Amino acid sequence: MEVMAGYKETELGAVPEDWECERISDAAANSANAIVGGPFGSDLVSADYAAMGVPVIRGQNMAAGVVSGDFVFVSPQKAKSLSANLAHPGDLIFTQRGTLGQVAIVPNDRHECYLVSQSQMKVSLNRTRHDPCFVHQYFASRAGQKQIALSAIQTGVPHTNLGILRAYRFPAPPLPEQRAIAVALSDVDALLGGLDRLIAKKRALKQAAMQQLLTGQTRLPGFQGEWEVKRLGDMLTICHGRNQREVEDASGLYPILATGGQIGTASRALYDKPSVLIGRKGTINQPRYMETPFWTVDTLFYSATKGEHNAKFLYYRFCLIDWMQYNEASGVPSLNARTIESVEVAAPVPAEQSAIASVLTDMDAELAALEARRDKTRALKQAMMQELLTGRTRLVPVGGAHA
């Protein structure tokens, strides 16, 4: 395939002519232990962990892309004895065994140094030529992740090693452009991090609101009076799903639902009113709510609401119940319809049920909007990475790429 003017073909595909294609081994700092794994197994055991001191980087400290989370520690003396295995701010950490593809950067603002565990590998880059944030962004991208996956050793538990790590390649623009790309992508990461934190806060607020509103501890304005303890069976009837064979239709309008989610579409609906759904067998602790017509298979109960009781209120109330305590099987978890109907809960009059359901539905809508915004931002970042990390879109700082 012909390469566009101003670009050249490399092992990583076409890149701008003023970019290089570097190996990790050539990009490492000119210092001892610039590329190193964790200690030998017997050199670091759980008995070495201390209440405080030098944090140890393990798999759970890699998930956020920045070394973080809950750490175990070793004493400064133990860390000194394993000085070859220490990582410092700006170093990159790659998972060697376990969740391959995890790549994290050591932050600048938390600890002076970290000890790499036996399941991780560290790279210290030559920072006169390479920006660690840029290299981290590349190996977190789809292209970088694909390279890690394709080079993994698949015998037994998938793993990699220092030799494979040294051979990893990445595109290398001039250093100022690396920094500009890293800043642009880091800004999107900061936005994503803020959205994640906001979503977590809103979820916690919703959970607290559910606990307060659905048990009557907090009352909405305009409502008073005691709640009545009722059996769920007084407010709804639990109904069995049915075999879907006769109604399956690829162009059907109605979802066919099982405990794991939608499995197809149906030519007609089994039920066409708002309904609480809950697993009969398998996943019994994840109630669902359907506003529109649907079909359920035999492993998924649906419900028919009685009188003026509010189905959405009952769904939220189902979500507060620990359904595993009602499991009636020693193998695959199972629920019985009569058992569900016999569970007692305190419930307000239908008008207050509807008001509570409306408040919680609004909170759900706010969460859904934030999650959609986060998903859109993630997609935007993927598109940016595809453009910036291949040089299709250039970010050249003032003064030129070689400034």
Side-chain angles (χ1 to χ4, degrees):
M1 189 172 73
E2 186 176 351
V3 179
M4 291 189 302
Y7 289 76
K8 63 185 177 183
E9 191 65 36
T10 72
E11 294 90 339
L12 297 174
V15 299
E17 289 180 342
D18 59 337
W19 287 27
E20 301 298 331
C21 180
E22 291 272 18
R23 290 180 185 271
I24 286 289
S25 58
D26 298 325
N30 186 23
S31 58
N33 304 308
I35 303 176
V36 70
F40 288 110
S42 59
D43 290 338
L44 179 64
V45 295
S46 58
D48 294 318
Y49 295 155
M52 56 188 303
V54 176
V56 179
I57 302 173
R58 300 177 297 164
Q60 55 260 57
N61 305 120
M62 303 271 292
V66 176
V67 172
S68 58
D70 294 327
F71 293 98
V72 296
F73 299 85
V74 295
S75 68
Q77 294 77 16
K78 181 65 177 180
K80 185 176 181 180
S81 73
L82 298 172
S83 59
N85 310 109
L86 293 179
H88 298 84
D91 287 347
L92 301 184
I93 311 297
F94 292 76
T95 291
Q96 181 171 354
R97 64 179 63 84
T99 308
L100 291 188
Q102 284 185 323
V103 185
I105 190 167
V106 178
N108 293 315
D109 57 353
R110 295 175 189 169
H111 299 274
E112 290 185 7
C113 65
Y114 298 74
L115 181 63
V116 179
S117 82
Q118 291 96 333
S119 296
Q120 275 70 47
M121 304 176 291
K122 177 207 79 172
V123 175
S124 300
L125 294 169
N126 179 348
R127 298 192 200 178
T128 65
R129 296 173 50 227
H130 301 291
D131 181 86
C133 292
F134 171 85
V135 179
H136 173 251
Q137 290 286 356
Y138 173 75
F139 282 105
S141 73
R142 288 175 180 168
Q145 290 288 295
K146 182 178 180 180
Q147 185 179 165
I148 292 171
L150 290 176
S151 64
I153 300 167
Q154 298 296 335
T155 53
V157 177
H159 61 285
T160 187
N161 57 43
L162 290 173
I164 294 172
L165 173 62
R166 291 187 180 97
Y168 287 164
R169 290 184 177 272
F170 64 93
L175 185 57
E177 191 170 3
Q178 290 185 38
R179 291 171 176 158
I181 292 171
V183 167
L185 295 176
S186 294
D187 286 346
V188 183
D189 283 337
L191 177 58
L192 283 168
L195 287 170
D196 281 336
R197 290 188 292 274
L198 182 57
I199 289 168
K201 180 180 178 181
K202 295 290 186 181
R203 282 179 179 157
L205 288 172
K206 182 202 161 189
Q207 191 62 34
M210 288 176 64
Q211 189 64 45
Q212 294 289 317
L213 293 173
L214 295 169
T215 59
Q217 297 176 54
T218 297
R219 305 295 292 276
L220 294 176
F223 295 101
Q224 55 187 356
E226 294 295 321
W227 286 19
E228 184 180 350
V229 175
K230 296 174 178 265
R231 295 167 59 255
L232 288 176
D234 296 330
M235 295 180 282
L236 51 70
T237 300
I238 297 297
C239 307
H240 285 263
R242 290 167 52 186
N243 190 294
Q244 75 277 24
R245 191 173 298 112
E246 292 183 1
V247 298
E248 279 185 302
D249 184 345
S251 59
L253 300 177
Y254 309 106
I256 299 173
L257 305 173
T259 53
Q262 183 172 341
I263 60 172
T265 54
S267 57
R268 59 186 174 89
L270 180 61
Y271 193 68
D272 62 358
K273 297 179 178 63
S275 179
V276 185
L277 285 63
I278 189 167
R280 182 184 71 83
K281 187 177 289 290
T283 306
I284 65 173
N285 60 344
Q286 294 179 15
R288 277 183 282 171
Y289 175 75
M290 285 297 292
E291 188 84 37
T292 54
F294 60 88
W295 185 285
T296 64
V297 301
D298 184 52
T299 58
L300 184 64
F301 289 127
Y302 68 96
S303 63
T305 307
K306 295 180 177 179
E308 296 182 1
H309 292 291
N310 185 279
K312 193 68 174 287
F313 170 85
L314 292 170
Y315 158 70
Y316 287 123
R317 193 61 188 82
F318 267 57
C319 290
L320 287 187
I321 297 170
D322 175 15
W323 289 105
M324 290 304 294
Q325 69 178 306
Y326 299 105
N327 175 30
E328 299 187 356
S330 57
V332 177
S334 299
L335 284 177
N336 181 282
R338 304 292 80 82
T339 299
I340 298 171
E341 292 179 352
S342 69
V343 173
E344 293 186 339
V345 298
V349 296
E352 189 172 359
Q353 292 179 26
S354 297
I356 292 170
S358 179
V359 170
L360 296 176
T361 297
D362 288 346
M363 297 181 83
D364 275 339
E366 184 180 12
L367 269 169
L370 287 171
E371 289 167 348
R373 182 182 171 195
R374 180 185 60 186
D375 292 344
K376 185 175 181 179
T377 304
R378 282 178 177 161
L380 172 63
K381 187 192 174 190
Q382 286 296 329
M384 288 176 63
M385 294 172 94
Q386 185 64 27
E387 291 291 311
L388 296 177
L389 296 173
T390 60
R392 293 176 190 173
T393 297
R394 303 296 299 271
L395 292 183
V396 182
V398 175
H402 298 279

